[in-house]
């Protein structure tokens, strides 16, 4: 029996990253945007139960995901069928939006304190989803540690999950951005979030947005983030930023899919999250893992499948790794 993982997406970045992750999982498992099995699905060769819940007597596969945000914009885009073709994939009962809709103002303390007021409602959704799991192994959280919701509210949820599910593993996919971040209190948010992750998480994959952005510029100069906007109007700049962040989320989701592939496509050695966690993070204080993706294969926007590219030679890979830039 495969183990089950519940994904908790917190904040704007966490939900956007989680959305890219589910799109990739659907493409790999042959699941349509409506949750139905596609014709090219290969039965018996994969374990959809790890991240998906079988509903309607197998007629639909629903992600084991809880979507949380204190602001309505991103959740509204995800649940809008006109903006997102995967809007019907999720369970609407697993979407939680803050009662005020004001957000946390990029402040860890505000998000953490607001979390005390709403965390019980969020945990009720998580408990309901956990009851659907036949063999719950742990939780995976997608969030950013720069702003207020992903860092503050995410820290509150991590604390409560550790208190209530002490025997289950907790993994986080945390994004950070320092060099080009315009949030003045970002260093404080990061330090407080990392302290919470060290205390309550078993493994953390720390994504550096700056590194992903530099790679996007090198492989696709047309998707660069032009922060000055001197040669572009605001509409063109917004489209460029949206494409760039979509590509960054696609790269991060590729790392996440690669890490969880042994669990989803059964491998005796690393068939459980515990096996992967013990191998990467053997000691409790050492919970941070450095993700790597070599070589990077771009994904076509129309089919969500890898493009046919010529893989680089080992010499060019070594030169790229040794490049000081």
């Amino acid at each position: 029996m495969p183990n089950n993982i519940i994904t908790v997406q917190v904040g704007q970045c966490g939900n956007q990253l989680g959305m890219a992750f589910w799109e990739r999982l659907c493409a790999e498992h042959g699941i349509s945007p409506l949750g139905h099995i596609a014709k090219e699905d290969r039965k018996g060769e994969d374990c959809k139960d790890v991240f998906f819940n079988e509903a309607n007597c197998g007629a639909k596969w629903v992600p084991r995901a809880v979507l949380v945000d204190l602001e309505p914009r991103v959740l509204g885009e995800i649940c809008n069928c006109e903006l997102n073709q995967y809007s019907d994939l999720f369970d609407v009962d697993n979407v939680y939006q803050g009662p005020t809709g004001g957000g946390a103002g990029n402040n860890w303390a505000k998000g953490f304190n607001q979390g005390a007021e709403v965390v019980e409602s969020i945990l009720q959704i998580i408990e309901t989803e956990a009851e659907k799991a036949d063999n719950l192994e742990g939780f995976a959280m997608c969030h950013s540690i720069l702003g207020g919701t992903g860092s503050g509210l995410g820290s509150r949820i991590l604390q409560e999950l550790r208190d209530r599910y002490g025997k289950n593993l907790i993994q986080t996919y945390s994004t950070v951005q320092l060099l080009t971040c315009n949030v003045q209190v970002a260093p404080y948010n990061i330090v407080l979030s990392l302290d919470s992750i060290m205390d309550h998480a078993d493994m953390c994959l720390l994504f550096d947005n700056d590194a992903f952005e530099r790679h996007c510029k090198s492989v696709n100069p047309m998707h660069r983030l032009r922060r000055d906007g001197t040669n572009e109007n605001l509409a063109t700049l917004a489209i460029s930023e949206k494409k760039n962040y979509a590509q960054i989320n696609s790269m991060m989701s590729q790392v996440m899919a690669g890490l969880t592939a042994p669990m989803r496509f059964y491998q005796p050695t690393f068939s459980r999250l515990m096996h992967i966690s013990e191998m990467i993070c053997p000691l409790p204080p050492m919970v941070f893992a450095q993700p790597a993706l070599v070589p990077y294969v771009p994904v076509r926007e129309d089919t969500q499948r890898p493009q046919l590219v010529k893989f680089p030679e080992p010499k060019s890979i070594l030169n790229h790794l040794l490049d000081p830039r």
Side-chain angles (χ1 to χ4, degrees):
M1 178 183 297
N3 298 307
N4 308 130
I5 306 296
I6 296 178
T7 304
V8 183
Q9 305 169 190
V10 185
Q12 173 182 342
C13 177
N15 282 287
Q16 291 175 341
L17 176 59
M19 190 66 244
F21 177 61
W22 292 114
E23 290 179 4
R24 185 171 295 276
L25 290 194
C26 288
E28 292 185 1
H29 289 285
I31 299 177
S32 69
L34 298 178
H36 306 306
I37 299 298
K39 294 181 180 180
E40 62 269 17
D41 175 54
R42 297 167 296 180
K43 295 183 178 180
E45 296 185 10
D46 59 359
C47 301
K48 302 180 183 66
D49 295 350
V50 177
F51 286 95
F52 290 89
N53 179 37
E54 188 176 3
N56 297 334
C57 299
K60 183 177 181 180
W61 291 87
V62 181
R64 302 182 188 273
V66 178
L67 287 66
V68 180
D69 200 355
L70 297 178
E71 298 179 359
R73 184 177 64 86
V74 176
L75 292 181
E77 293 178 356
I78 293 177
C79 299
N80 190 338
C81 60
E82 297 181 357
L83 301 177
N84 181 21
Q85 62 175 340
Y86 290 87
S87 59
D88 294 331
L89 182 67
F90 300 95
D91 186 354
V92 293
D93 295 332
N94 289 5
V95 179
Y96 180 84
Q97 177 184 320
T100 61
N106 292 327
N107 190 300
W108 183 93
K110 186 176 181 180
F112 190 80
N113 292 332
Q114 286 190 11
E117 303 173 0
V118 302
V119 70
E120 287 298 329
S121 300
I122 299 173
L123 287 175
Q124 288 180 2
I125 300 176
I126 296 177
E127 290 176 358
T128 302
E129 188 63 30
E131 292 175 356
K132 301 177 184 178
D134 297 327
N135 188 17
L136 179 63
E137 183 179 11
F139 302 88
M141 176 180 289
C142 301
H143 68 140
S144 169
I145 59 177
L146 288 176
T149 303
S151 62
L153 179 58
S155 298
R156 174 71 72 173
I157 295 176
L158 278 178
Q159 177 180 330
E160 295 295 334
L161 286 178
R162 178 53 67 198
D163 292 340
R164 301 197 181 194
Y165 300 91
K167 296 183 179 180
N168 297 98
L169 292 176
I170 299 178
Q171 177 191 10
T172 69
Y173 299 100
S174 308
T175 62
V176 63
Q177 184 174 2
L178 280 178
L179 298 179
T180 57
C181 180
N182 55 4
V183 179
Q184 299 297 326
V185 295
Y188 302 99
N189 297 337
I190 293 173
V191 171
L192 293 170
S193 300
L194 292 179
D195 181 70
S196 177
I197 291 173
M198 290 182 62
D199 291 339
H200 307 301
D202 297 290
M203 181 172 62
C204 170
L205 259 69
L206 204 59
F207 293 119
D208 184 2
N209 258 16
D210 294 316
F212 280 98
E213 183 179 332
R214 288 194 300 269
H215 185 73
C216 288
K217 291 179 180 179
S218 63
V219 298
N220 195 349
M222 296 300 295
H223 286 181
R224 293 183 180 181
L225 271 179
R226 298 179 176 87
R227 300 184 182 278
D228 53 359
T230 53
N231 298 326
E232 296 178 302
N233 55 39
L234 294 179
T236 306
L237 181 62
I239 295 175
S240 177
E241 290 185 355
K242 186 175 181 179
K243 288 184 177 180
N244 192 86
Y245 283 121
Q247 187 176 7
I248 291 176
N249 290 333
S250 176
M251 295 172 63
M252 293 181 180
S253 67
Q254 193 168 343
V255 176
M256 297 164 62
L259 179 68
T260 59
M263 297 185 294
R264 298 181 290 110
F265 302 93
Y266 180 75
Q267 296 293 331
T269 307
F270 300 106
S271 60
R272 300 180 59 186
L273 182 61
M274 180 185 66
H275 299 158
I276 300 175
S277 177
E278 290 178 348
M279 181 64 65
I280 300 178
C281 305
L283 299 177
M286 302 170 59
V287 299
F288 298 102
Q290 178 65 43
L293 185 63
V294 177
Y296 167 64
V297 181
V299 176
R300 296 183 57 180
E301 297 181 358
D302 53 348
T303 62
Q304 291 297 324
R305 294 185 179 277
Q307 298 180 8
L308 296 178
V309 296
K310 181 180 179 180
F311 289 100
E313 299 293 333
K315 181 179 179 180
S316 62
I317 295 178
L318 289 176
N319 292 335
H320 186 71
L321 292 174
L322 297 176
D323 190 352
R325 293 176 298 178

